[in-house]
Amino acid sequence: MSPLQLSVYWRLSLVFFFLSFLFFIDIFAAAVVAVSCRRGNDTMAPTAGGGQSRPGESSESGNRDSVCEWTDWLAYGQRVYMVGLLLGSLVGGAISDRYGKRTVLLVCVYVHAVCGLVPAVLPQPFLYLAVRCLTGVCCCCINICSFSLAVEWTLPAARLWSSAFLPFCFSLGTMGGAPLAWLSPTWRQLHLSLALPQLVCLPLYLSIPESPRWLQLRKRTDVLERYRCNSPADKQCLELLLLSDQQKDTEAQKEQPPGGHALSDIIHLKHPTVLLRLFIMSYLSAASALTYFGICMNIGSFGVGVYSAQFFSGLSEAPCLLVPLVRLGRRPISILALFLSGAACFLSLLLSRCNGEPVLVMSLALLGKLCILAALFISTLYSIELFPTVVRQRCVSLVNLSFRLGCLVNSLVPSTPNGAISLAAMVVYSSGPIVGCGLCLLLPETSGIPLPDSVEDCERQPRLRPPSMKALWRARKPASRRTRKPETLPAEKEETHTHTPSTHTGLI
């Protein structure tokens, strides 16, 4: 890797490490407020001498009591955050294409860090919800810009690893945020401990380079020349990156009709093959979002401590870094991951209803979360390879929109009075991947196949077709004839016939 590539990767890894701190802060805030408010109520109880201790006697009690007055609002924090993610997915791509991925990334990272600090200074309910919505918008824009920068600074042969490395850093941040939250017993300390590390690292992000493809499209040759002069390795890397992008643009220009393709896009979108694939991938995205975030946001309801459960939740996602090493193809690994996820969630549901060990129940749920995360990782590439070039971006955007809607719907699912996942929700989390496993059988295998440029290319992709009874009968009939033929053939013809069954058997 060239120095600029290393600069991009280790800084983006730091961004994703801290991104998880505010992603799961609602879980830690609910636990901290529950403990601090219970202690506050205990201190308000009458003492043996008939007196009553005042909350103002403690240095932290003022902020703690102000939060305890609107604890019911905390339940809406997660929902507002998911709304922010949905809004960010609608505007993040367009803003980054216009103003540059580096610029949008830096602005969102700075705003994201400040949003973590505001609730510690001003713990007000309306301000808290507004900050959570803005945090969700920034988180989604950071996600879009980071993945784009990582992919565009990576050669085509290794771009699969860039999509696996950043979620791995996010899982490491999930593991690192749990001890920090455990060491923060109050509302103010919790937000300070999760926001101050981000504020300290903000100057490091100023050295992130811009996307070379965006600079080339905007004719920013001065910046590209400065990147080339950085080192010989950077110059060679940029030449390879820009060469591959130029070849891609040349092929796209050849495929584009002279009069534009607005009408062609509508025709392609209405084609049954495209509609079927769009429905399947949208369902898989929504079902995966329900299962993944349903387990993530309710990890403390399995009878295990919320901090240790969150730590092991991040640890369970770390093996997804090895997904690029699996060479099973897109469809087999998607089917396997979805089936294992649904089966693990279903077993976790059975054990929880049979009063099983909480550690075993949580382990099965985390196994289901790991498998659904692997399915999400594969579906990101699968969506790109399934749709034709003329409507690929629109279809992928619709699939991503389905994922965000699944996140939003999950935040609206109510829990039981004791805080556990409801039976209906757990049934949905386990049955959704199983149904998606069956729908994947209708999709073709796209691994190692060129991207389709038209609907005709999509229909030529290999798909799983079960053999018909007529084909099986035709295959059986010649085989039965070959077994009877040697009994009547002469000796000299038997010698030539002995070589044919092996070839026919191989073809069958």
Side-chain angles (χ1 to χ4, degrees):
M1 297 180 69
S2 67
L4 282 177
Q5 284 180 313
L6 288 174
S7 174
V8 169
Y9 268 89
W10 79 262
R11 284 175 171 83
L12 290 182
S13 64
L14 202 60
V15 170
F16 263 70
F17 182 85
F18 292 127
L19 195 64
S20 63
F21 283 13
L22 300 187
F23 195 93
F24 299 110
I25 197 171
D26 291 316
I27 300 174
F28 301 134
V32 166
V33 168
V35 174
S36 60
C37 291
R38 184 172 62 248
R39 291 176 180 175
N41 292 333
D42 292 341
T43 58
M44 294 287 290
T47 58
Q52 189 175 14
S53 59
R54 296 173 57 87
E57 294 175 357
S58 175
S59 61
E60 293 284 347
S61 59
N63 290 332
R64 183 179 65 241
D65 288 342
S66 63
V67 175
C68 292
E69 293 175 357
W70 49 274
T71 53
D72 295 337
W73 293 77
L74 296 178
Y76 298 99
Q78 180 184 344
R79 303 175 186 177
V80 174
Y81 184 80
M82 293 300 173
V83 172
L85 289 177
L86 179 61
L87 296 176
S89 65
L90 296 177
V91 301
I95 294 177
S96 62
D97 289 340
R98 181 173 182 178
Y99 299 103
K101 298 172 177 61
R102 176 183 179 273
T103 303
V104 177
L105 176 65
L106 290 178
V107 171
C108 291
V109 166
Y110 275 74
V111 175
H112 188 269
V114 174
C115 287
L117 190 63
V118 169
V121 181
L122 299 171
Q124 301 296 328
F126 289 104
L127 181 61
Y128 176 73
L129 294 181
V131 165
R132 288 302 291 163
C133 183
L134 183 59
T135 306
V137 174
C138 293
C139 176
C140 191
C141 293
I142 290 172
N143 194 17
I144 293 173
C145 297
S146 299
F147 273 103
S148 299
L149 279 176
V151 169
E152 293 177 9
W153 271 101
T154 308
L155 294 176
R159 282 177 177 171
L160 189 63
W161 287 98
S162 60
S163 301
F165 179 69
L166 294 182
F168 172 74
C169 298
F170 186 85
S171 64
L172 293 181
T174 305
M175 297 167 58
L180 287 177
W182 180 70
L183 295 173
S184 306
T186 62
W187 172 272
R188 174 177 291 179
Q189 291 179 6
L190 173 66
H191 286 83
L192 289 177
S193 62
L194 297 181
L196 288 180
Q198 303 182 56
L199 294 172
V200 171
C201 295
L202 286 181
L204 299 175
Y205 305 139
L206 296 175
S207 302
I208 295 179
E210 182 56 272
S211 163
R213 179 171 174 79
W214 186 85
L215 293 173
Q216 186 182 35
L217 292 175
R218 296 291 178 174
K219 302 186 185 305
R220 300 283 298 276
T221 56
D222 54 336
V223 182
L224 284 175
E225 190 61 31
R226 190 171 73 246
Y227 289 166
R228 287 191 181 97
C229 298
N230 189 47
S231 70
D234 290 327
K235 182 178 180 180
Q236 182 182 5
C237 174
L238 281 172
E239 295 298 333
L240 293 174
L241 289 172
L242 296 178
L243 179 62
S244 63
D245 291 336
Q246 287 174 359
Q247 293 175 352
K248 192 185 303 180
D249 293 339
T250 303
E251 294 176 358
Q253 290 175 0
K254 291 179 180 179
E255 294 156 4
Q256 182 176 354
H261 50 73
L263 182 61
S264 176
D265 290 355
I266 299 175
I267 296 175
H268 281 80
L269 281 174
K270 290 183 178 180
H271 196 275
T273 301
V274 177
L275 288 177
L276 176 63
R277 297 182 181 185
L278 182 60
F279 168 75
I280 294 175
M281 297 309 298
S282 299
Y283 172 82
L284 290 179
S285 295
S288 300
L290 284 172
T291 303
Y292 178 77
F293 288 102
I295 296 175
C296 280
M297 297 303 178
N298 298 281
I299 194 64
S301 63
F302 292 102
V304 184
V306 62
Y307 304 105
S308 58
Q310 192 67 22
F311 176 84
F312 286 107
S313 175
L315 182 63
S316 67
E317 297 180 6
C320 278
L321 183 64
L322 305 178
V323 170
L325 298 177
V326 181
R327 303 296 181 182
L328 294 179
R330 306 286 186 260
R331 184 175 59 192
I333 192 173
S334 297
I335 293 174
L336 180 62
L338 289 170
F339 177 78
L340 291 178
S341 175
C345 292
F346 183 71
L347 290 177
S348 176
L349 173 63
L350 288 181
L351 287 178
S352 63
R353 296 298 166 182
C354 297
N355 297 325
E357 288 293 331
V359 176
L360 182 58
V361 173
M362 187 190 71
S363 301
L364 287 172
L366 293 182
L367 175 61
K369 185 169 75 77
L370 169 63
C371 294
I372 206 66
L373 184 62
L376 277 171
F377 173 68
I378 295 298
S379 67
T380 304
L381 300 175
Y382 212 177
S383 299
I384 297 174
E385 298 169 346
L386 280 173
F387 300 108
T389 303
V390 291
V391 292
R392 181 175 297 125
Q393 191 62 36
R394 296 186 182 185
C395 293
V396 172
S397 300
L398 291 174
V399 172
N400 292 335
L401 181 61
S402 301
F403 179 81
R404 296 303 175 190
L405 289 176
C407 299
L408 182 59
V409 170
N410 177 76
S411 64
L412 301 176
V413 176
S415 57
T416 59
N418 57 357
I421 303 178
S422 62
L423 177 62
M426 204 62 189
V427 169
V428 171
Y429 299 158
S430 57
S431 61
I434 297 295
V435 175
C437 177
L439 291 176
C440 282
L441 296 174
L442 303 176
L443 297 176
E445 178 55 54
T446 59
S447 179
I449 299 174
L451 294 178
D453 298 322
S454 61
V455 178
E456 290 75 15
D457 294 338
C458 292
E459 293 178 344
R460 284 194 291 266
Q461 289 176 332
R463 64 184 65 188
L464 182 64
R465 288 194 179 97
S468 61
M469 295 300 297
K470 188 176 181 180
L472 290 175
W473 174 254
R474 288 179 179 177
R476 180 185 175 188
K477 193 172 181 180
S480 61
R481 287 179 179 177
R482 285 194 302 271
T483 56
R484 296 192 300 267
K485 231 173 184 180
E487 299 176 0
T488 59
L489 283 174
E492 62 270 17
K493 292 185 178 180
E494 286 181 3
E495 295 178 358
T496 60
H497 184 76
T498 53
H499 299 284
T500 57
S502 60
T503 59
H504 285 292
T505 305
L507 290 175
I508 293 174

